[in-house]
Amino acid sequence: MPTIIYPPSIPWNWMFQRPQQLLGRFSASGQTVLYEDLGNFSTSKNNLLSPSFLICQGSSAMSVPHPRPRILWLTVPSHINLIKNYDPDLVIYDAVDEPKDEFASWAPYYPSILEKADLIFCSSNSIYEYFLNRHPHVYLIPNGVDYVHFSPAPTHRPIDLPSGKPIVGYSGAIAPWVDWDLLKLVIQENPEINFVFLGALFQLNKFPLKLKNVYYLGLKSYQELPAYLHYFDVGLIPFRQTEMTKGCNPIKLYEYYAAGIRVLGTPLPELLTIPKINLEASPHLFSLRLKHLLNEADSNKAERMAYAQANDWSERVGRMLQYIFEKANTNQK
């Protein structure tokens, strides 16, 4: 079984995203995973999460004895320049965002990725279309969900959730790509609704909205998150429509669906084919659709949860491993 090394990119205990989900499942399927944590650590230590998953804090994965073949797993384009530090047998680039707008600094590294990556996985159609005719081994693997984690009903109601009104919620990065202008108008038009936001600030110094019916509860741990989502009456994906969000396949969509809640978003390309989703572009129509959702019976919960279950991260990892082993076998011949 190979060893997968992930250089310092995302703090392990920050928002639990695609890299943590995929690498955790690679480990569960028998691969050794060495996750180099991002952060300033006063002392070097290695935390063993499982017999095959090691968190390296302040230390290099290369100092840990491990079996080959060695796979270097990259999600930050500039890390393509770190290849020589790891002497990998296989380089995989997992493309999760468009190199535009907030991630424009990624673009200069794409020629090197095309030259040096052995496999490229893409989380959305637009990213896939970019790489498809530029590299011989490109595969579309959208985001997914840990269905078993998000679907069960919670045993308690989080104490910091507001009460007395319906809850419309957002879970994810508090970032510039959220359409804060749209949200401000929608929230002002709906004083009878409590709007709850969960997540870490990203490229913002403070939470952008100050309104009486808005509650910013900060970043919640991955273990806590399902309990909050289950108390949302509607989950929001209110992203601005930009070149960057054109390539966004929102993980929150799958997590909302696994929790059984209805979803209202802006019409991002990756959301247009999602069953039973609600999409509106203008603030006024967004507000009207929200009112309508809260006033009508929910008859599609089972279908939404079935969709989430079919898009579990385990399905994604199964396909990825097939492509990885095929490429590794080809390289050995």
Side-chain angles (χ1 to χ4, degrees):
M1 290 292 186
T3 297
I4 301 175
I5 294 178
Y6 186 59
S9 308
I10 299 173
W12 173 255
N13 285 321
W14 197 52
M15 290 189 295
F16 216 69
Q17 300 174 81
R18 180 179 172 106
Q20 294 103 313
Q21 295 280 10
L22 292 175
L23 293 166
R25 277 160 183 75
F26 285 136
S27 169
S29 68
Q31 332 308 311
T32 297
V33 174
L34 304 177
Y35 188 109
E36 295 186 338
D37 209 354
L38 182 65
N40 296 316
F41 303 100
S42 55
T43 58
S44 298
K45 62 179 181 178
N46 295 327
N47 295 325
L48 197 65
L49 292 189
S50 75
S52 59
F53 199 118
L54 193 69
I55 305 284
C56 304
Q57 296 182 325
S59 62
S60 169
M62 295 298 286
S63 66
V64 179
H66 58 267
R68 298 190 82 138
R70 181 185 301 137
I71 297 172
L72 186 61
W73 188 276
L74 305 178
T75 59
V76 176
S78 60
H79 286 172
I80 200 73
N81 293 335
L82 300 179
I83 290 178
K84 61 182 182 298
N85 299 344
Y86 294 94
D87 185 29
D89 301 292
L90 208 65
V91 176
I92 296 175
Y93 178 58
D94 190 22
V96 297
D97 283 300
E98 289 276 6
K100 310 280 179 64
D101 302 325
E102 291 85 357
F103 298 102
S105 61
W106 289 7
Y109 300 99
Y110 270 45
S112 293
I113 289 169
L114 290 168
E115 178 188 351
K116 298 175 181 178
D118 296 291
L119 281 171
I120 297 177
F121 293 124
C122 305
S123 65
S124 73
N125 282 283
S126 70
I127 297 173
Y128 175 70
E129 288 168 4
Y130 172 82
F131 283 111
L132 181 59
N133 295 319
R134 292 177 169 89
H135 193 279
H137 303 288
V138 178
Y139 303 98
L140 175 62
I141 307 287
N143 287 320
V145 65
D146 183 345
Y147 184 79
V148 171
H149 184 68
F150 282 93
S151 58
T155 57
H156 70 284
R157 189 182 197 276
I159 60 173
D160 54 348
L161 276 176
S163 59
K165 299 177 181 179
I167 294 178
V168 172
Y170 171 88
S171 172
I174 308 300
W177 55 81
V178 174
D179 194 334
W180 298 108
D181 292 333
L182 177 147
L183 283 174
K184 184 176 181 181
L185 289 170
V186 170
I187 292 167
Q188 287 174 332
E189 286 185 359
N190 293 277
E192 73 286 359
I193 299 171
N194 284 327
F195 291 83
V196 169
F197 294 82
L198 311 173
L201 295 174
F202 182 84
Q203 296 185 1
L204 293 175
N205 295 322
K206 61 181 181 179
F207 187 76
L209 299 175
K210 286 188 176 181
L211 296 164
K212 288 184 178 180
N213 56 332
V214 169
Y215 298 81
Y216 173 49
L217 304 184
L219 176 62
K220 301 301 176 183
S221 73
Y222 184 65
Q223 294 305 315
E224 296 176 286
L225 195 54
Y228 285 88
L229 298 193
H230 276 264
Y231 283 95
F232 289 1
D233 294 286
V234 176
L236 297 177
I237 310 179
F239 287 2
R240 296 167 54 232
Q241 295 184 73
T242 67
E243 285 299 302
M244 192 280 286
T245 61
K246 180 178 70 175
C248 180
N249 182 258
I251 292 177
K252 61 178 61 59
L253 175 277
Y254 304 98
E255 294 176 347
Y256 290 159
Y257 268 28
I261 60 176
R262 292 170 289 185
V263 174
L264 175 58
T266 48
L268 305 177
E270 288 289 301
L271 298 180
L272 296 178
T273 60
I274 302 298
K276 306 307 177 184
I277 196 168
N278 302 276
L279 302 173
E280 296 291 352
S282 81
H284 180 62
L285 293 177
F286 199 99
S287 182
L288 288 175
R289 179 69 75 94
L290 182 58
K291 293 176 190 289
H292 179 70
L293 285 173
L294 292 174
N295 288 326
E296 71 172 359
D298 180 8
S299 59
N300 303 123
K301 181 176 180 178
E303 187 171 345
R304 292 193 303 271
M305 294 185 74
Y307 180 82
Q309 190 171 20
N311 287 277
D312 192 272
W313 285 115
S314 297
E315 184 275 336
R316 308 305 198 227
V317 164
R319 282 198 283 147
M320 284 178 158
L321 285 174
Q322 178 184 346
Y323 299 135
I324 290 168
F325 289 140
E326 285 175 359
K327 188 68 175 79
N329 290 336
T330 301
N331 287 0
Q332 289 175 359
K333 291 178 181 178

